[in-house]
Amino acid sequence: MEPYRIKAVEPLPRTTRPQREAALRRVHYNLFDLRAEEVTIDLLTDSGTGALSAGQLAAAMAGDESYAGSASFHRFRDAVEELTSYPHILPVHQGRAAERILFSTLAGPGRLTLSNTHFDTTRANVELAGGEARDLPCPQSRDLDGPGPFKGNIDIEALRAVLDGPEASRVALVLMTVTNNGCGGQPVSMANLAETAAVCRRHGVPLFLDAARFAENAWLVTRREDGHRGRTPRQVAQEAFRLADGCLMSAKKDGIVHVGGFLGLRDSALAQRCELLLIATEGFPTYGGLAGRDLDMMALGLAEALDPGYLASREQAAGHLAGRARAAGVGIVEPPGLHAIYLDAGRLLRHIPAHRFPGQALACQLYLEGGIRSVELGSLYLGREDEQGEPVISAPYELVRLALPRRVYTRGHLDHVGDVLARIAGDVLARIAGDPGSVPGYRITEQAPVLRHFRVRLQPVPVGATTSRPSGSSRYWASSHSAGG
Ligand SMILES: *Cc1c(COP(=O)(O)O)cnc(C)c1O
């Protein structure tokens, strides 16, 4: 069971089906453009959407808002140093600010960063700094149904090959994303992390953690990796941070705060250079773009996220939703992690070809049937079409992500999602058999040249029952990034 009870509640927005139909038409079938009060269960992202604890709210009241040297900063710094072992902790307003500061200091023009998978803002900040971001996910990450316990790992052989090859001198740093958000939220094993650290040390290349979900990764290590069962998530997390030379942190995930992050560094000279940028662009180093109360809430959130009872209930919640999806006949990315369930829309809505976006069709059905907001991670996100709307690049899998905000939804809410999935997989599929046009595909009417899914406009188009989907290359899934957190 959840290791907390509820002290403050917020009514869920309720809508009628005609209202939801009108809302979808108004936003041109782009769920990012819905107003939040039109959404009953919001599974768009787990970023900054968690519930604060009574302890965090109390700490917020005790926050010290001094411009420099605030007590809040010192409490925050001590807590983060104890967890990470890094002597230099630079607070920032969110993860991507830490990315910008680190990469513009360390990974300039011509430099190369290597990662198990760069998150989308991470890649963008490497490229903005003039560098090149290269993903080296392990081969198992490409197998959607595979049972691998650590499909988020980096491909060690590929890493060695780059560091032993002609490009070695270009490598600025290696970045391990835990858990691997771009690869279905799959975890990284301690063995893989330790081996990566050894390879990096041998080549004199710094290793950083993109630690947004460090606690969830640590939990899955204690559950799945020999030699770590029976350890606490805190012990595993501490060891993970100690294997690296620093970290980038978006505390909107496992910091369980609405905004916040930090850059942790071992190297004093590097910290000094980063601090200059911090002062110029985020704020004085004892607040870094945050209020004192934010620092106190973050310090506490980082500790609460490591509570084994909380992590166990989060794993059970994700497992419960995964079980409901499987029981409804909806395939998912296996095995489920903690922060999200990824539905295989391509297999469910076989009558919709990739360039008519079966993932978006399922996301729209989830909203229509149950007021549930999710995000498409398929060909709308990764694909490209020509002027006539014919496919040029398709995603290898047509996925829909149901992200799970921390401490927000109960089993009852997840059962509502399960019921809606079952209804879609039952009624709707029966309807499709009689009349394929009843669950339409979508055509793009307007799009931006990059990150098109955020601002895209769509129009429903009927699709035939017999259209087959072109199968894409798995390389594309491997180099994919997830959306907005
Ligand atoms: C969310 C996220 C980021 C970016 O952090 P923001 O706080 O959204 O700026 C970076 N890396 C990973 C793995 C993330 O999940």
Side-chain angles (χ1 to χ4, degrees):
M1 63 183 177
E2 292 84 352
Y4 45 79
R5 56 184 175 175
I6 296 166
K7 182 174 281 191
V9 297
E10 183 183 23
L12 284 181
R14 298 281 200 148
T15 53
T16 63
R17 192 180 172 105
Q19 285 171 334
R20 295 195 291 275
E21 280 167 358
L24 273 185
R25 270 196 305 276
R26 192 194 76 239
V27 300
H28 302 275
Y29 304 90
N30 178 347
L31 302 174
F32 283 101
D33 281 338
L34 288 172
R35 299 174 64 117
E37 64 256 37
E38 293 169 323
V39 177
T40 302
I41 304 286
D42 204 345
L43 307 184
L44 185 69
T45 177
D46 66 322
S47 178
T49 53
L52 297 173
S53 66
Q56 282 176 298
L57 287 171
M61 281 313 295
D64 173 6
E65 304 303 342
S66 303
Y67 186 94
S70 82
S72 294
F73 173 74
H74 289 287
R75 286 191 287 266
F76 161 76
R77 209 207 73 84
D78 291 350
V80 176
E81 185 181 1
E82 200 270 325
L83 173 65
T84 64
S85 77
Y86 306 138
H88 306 284
I89 308 295
L90 283 55
V92 294
H93 80 280
Q94 64 181 86
R96 66 199 69 183
E99 292 166 357
R100 181 180 47 77
I101 289 169
L102 183 69
F103 299 145
S104 41
T105 306
L106 212 56
R111 306 303 303 280
L112 179 61
T113 63
L114 305 172
S115 176
N116 52 343
T117 307
H118 293 79
F119 178 67
D120 57 10
T121 62
T122 317
R123 168 177 295 272
N125 275 298
V126 170
E127 290 171 358
L128 277 172
E132 179 190 340
R134 193 175 300 166
D135 293 335
L136 306 172
C138 70
Q140 296 90 306
S141 70
R142 290 173 200 130
D143 177 11
L144 212 63
D145 300 326
F150 292 106
K151 287 156 75 174
N153 282 352
I154 199 167
D155 183 338
I156 291 280
E157 289 316 311
L159 177 67
R160 277 210 189 92
V162 178
L163 289 173
D164 285 332
E167 291 180 299
S169 63
R170 289 178 55 214
V171 178
L173 59 95
V174 174
L175 186 67
M176 192 72 104
T177 310
V178 299
T179 57
N180 193 338
N181 194 1
C183 277
Q186 298 291 327
V188 173
S189 72
M190 293 301 285
N192 188 254
L193 186 61
E195 213 172 333
T196 303
V199 171
C200 286
R201 211 172 314 116
R202 202 152 53 241
H203 289 85
V205 172
L207 170 64
F208 286 84
L209 295 185
D210 184 348
R213 297 181 183 81
F214 75 100
E216 297 181 354
N217 200 86
W219 175 253
L220 291 170
V221 163
T222 68
R223 300 277 290 158
R224 297 181 184 175
E225 188 167 359
D226 290 339
H228 296 276
R229 295 177 222 273
R231 301 182 74 197
T232 65
R234 175 173 287 274
Q235 288 170 329
V236 173
Q238 282 176 326
E239 183 180 329
F241 283 117
R242 277 159 182 75
L243 283 169
D245 301 292
C247 74
L248 300 158
M249 178 74 193
S250 166
K252 297 173 70 169
K253 286 66 170 236
D254 277 350
I256 327 189
V257 283
H258 298 142
V259 73
F262 59 87
L263 180 56
L265 298 167
R266 223 183 267 298
D267 184 279
S268 299
L270 177 60
Q272 237 167 26
R273 288 163 66 208
C274 289
E275 216 170 74
L276 294 178
L277 261 177
L278 181 76
I279 295 172
T281 60
E282 286 285 295
F284 190 70
T286 63
Y287 73 87
L290 293 167
R293 75 178 78 95
D294 294 327
L295 297 169
D296 272 313
M297 288 192 284
M298 189 164 33
L300 214 54
L302 292 166
E304 290 175 359
L306 284 165
D307 169 32
Y310 155 78
L311 287 163
S313 87
R314 194 156 164 77
E315 183 183 28
Q316 283 157 12
H320 179 69
L321 188 56
R324 293 292 315 259
R326 290 189 205 103
V330 182
I332 60 167
V333 175
E334 298 282 5
L338 262 62
H339 87 285
I341 301 296
Y342 294 72
L343 306 174
D344 188 349
R347 226 183 293 168
L348 183 69
L349 302 177
R350 284 175 196 279
H351 70 298
I352 303 178
H355 67 294
R356 291 291 173 251
F357 311 122
Q360 190 64 15
L362 178 58
C364 286
Q365 286 298 319
L366 282 164
Y367 179 67
L368 265 184
E369 295 283 327
I372 299 158
R373 177 153 69 172
S374 55
V375 66
E376 193 261 14
L377 291 176
S379 289
L380 186 61
Y381 180 48
L382 292 172
R384 204 174 336 124
E385 303 81 42
D386 64 16
E387 311 258 289
Q388 282 71 47
E390 293 304 311
V392 176
I393 298 173
S394 299
Y397 300 112
E398 301 297 333
L399 302 179
V400 172
R401 186 183 74 177
L402 304 176
L404 299 170
R406 292 170 181 76
R407 308 192 290 207
V408 169
Y409 294 118
T410 65
R411 202 57 81 89
H413 296 123
L414 298 184
D415 277 330
H416 168 73
V417 178
D419 291 344
V420 170
L421 268 179
R423 208 150 69 222
I424 291 173
D427 300 4
V428 176
L429 287 185
R431 239 192 299 144
I432 292 169
D435 171 18
S438 64
V439 177
Y442 291 86
R443 184 175 81 78
I444 293 178
T445 58
E446 260 184 68
Q447 61 177 312
V450 287
L451 291 173
R452 67 176 182 178
H453 58 292
F454 285 118
R455 308 306 323 207
V456 73
R457 290 185 164 193
L458 298 154
Q459 194 178 59
V461 285
V463 287
T466 53
T467 326
S468 66
R469 291 188 305 116
S471 61
S473 76
S474 52
R475 189 185 61 78
Y476 227 81
W477 164 247
S479 66
S480 72
H481 336 293
S482 114

